[in-house]
Amino acid sequence: MSSTNTGSSAGSGSSAGASGSAGAGRSATTGGHAGGGAGTWAATLLPAFCAVAVYAWSAWSFGSASAPSTTVAVSVGGAAILVAAVAYYLLVDGVMGLWGALALVGALLLTVATADQWASRGAVADCVVVKVHEEKHVSVGEGGGERTVYRHTLRCPGGYPSALSENRRVAPDGGEVRVAYDPRRRVAPAVEGSSPPWGQAFLALVLLAAATAGARRFSRAGRREREARSGSSGRPPSTGSRTARGRR
C-alpha cells in the first residue's frame, strides 16, 4: 500500500512538473509573440510616420508666418531624415535594412521637394528672360538617369527673383514670363500657374511603400518571433534566417 501511494505521488508530481513547464513555455512564447508583434508594427509604421512628420515640418517652414530661419529649418529637417534612416536600419534585418533605409531617405527628400512646390507664393512679377542655361544632372533620388535643368536668368522689377530653374524652357531669350515667388524668399520661385508636382509625390509614395513592405517582411522583431515559434514547435529555423545559417 505504501509503495503504491508513493508511486502515485511521484507520478502526480511528474505530471504537475510537466504541466508547469509546458505552461511556462507557453507563457514565454506568448510573451515573445506579443513583443515581436509590437516591434514589427513599430518598424512597419515608421516610414509613414516619418513622412508625415517631415512634410508637416517642411510645410510649416515654407509657409508659416512664424517659420524658423532657413538654417534651423534645414538643420532640423536633415537631422530628422538621418534619425529616420538609422532607426529603420536598426529595426529591419539583413540587406533590406540598408536598401530600405536608402528608399526611406529618397522618399523623405521627395516629400520635402513636394512641400516646397506646394508652398504658397504670395507675390507675382512679370520678368524678362535674359539668358537660358541648359544644365545636365545625374538624378539618383528620382529613378536614376540624366536630367536636364533649364536655368533662366531673369530681370524682374525690384531685382528679385533673379533666376528660375525649370525642367523645360519656359520662354526664349528676351521673352517674358510671369513668376510667382515668396517675398520672404523661403521657397524657390516658380512659373505662375504651374502644375502640382504629382510625379514627385507619386514616386515618394512608391518608395514609402517599398520601405514599408520591407519593414513588414524583414523586421528584426518579426525574425525573433518566427525563431521563437519554430523553437516552441520543435522545428528548426527557416533556412533563410541568419540564425539558421550560423548554426549550419
Side-chain angles (χ1 to χ4, degrees), residues 21 41 44 48 60 62 100 109-110 115 133 142 153 175 180 199 208 224:
S21 300
W41 278 109
T44 304
W60 180 65
F62 291 143
L109 291 176
L110 287 170
H133 302 276
E142 299 183 14
T153 302
L208 280 175
R224 289 193 294 266

Side-chain angles (χ1 to χ4, degrees), residues 126-213:
D126 292 316
C127 304
V128 176
V129 177
V130 178
K131 186 72 174 176
V132 180
H133 302 276
E134 184 176 321
E135 301 176 355
K136 301 289 186 180
H137 296 276
V138 177
S139 177
V140 176
E142 299 183 14
E146 193 175 64
R147 185 168 58 97
T148 303
V149 175
Y150 296 89
R151 179 176 291 275
H152 303 71
T153 302
L154 303 178
R155 183 172 66 247
C156 301
Y160 184 82
S162 60
L164 173 68
S165 295
E166 291 287 337
N167 57 5
R168 60 185 177 88
R169 186 188 293 266
V170 298
D173 295 352
E176 291 189 356
V177 61
R178 193 170 179 82
V179 181
Y181 67 96
D182 178 17
R184 298 181 62 183
R185 306 186 183 187
R186 295 169 297 184
V187 295
V191 177
E192 185 189 30
S194 56
S195 60
W198 296 116
Q200 289 182 340
F202 176 75
L203 184 55
L205 289 175
V206 170
L207 292 175
L208 280 175
T212 301

Side-chain angles (χ1 to χ4, degrees), residues 217-231:
R217 177 66 179 83
F218 297 101
S219 69
R220 296 181 187 271
R223 175 174 61 84
R224 289 193 294 266
E225 178 184 354
R226 290 189 297 271
E227 291 176 353
R229 187 183 297 116
S230 299

Side-chain angles (χ1 to χ4, degrees), residues 10-21:
S12 301
S14 300
S15 300
S19 300
S21 300

Side-chain angles (χ1 to χ4, degrees), residues 21-49:
S21 300
R26 285 193 298 271
S27 299
T29 302
T30 303
H33 291 173
T40 300
W41 278 109
T44 304
L45 296 176
L46 177 66
F49 174 81

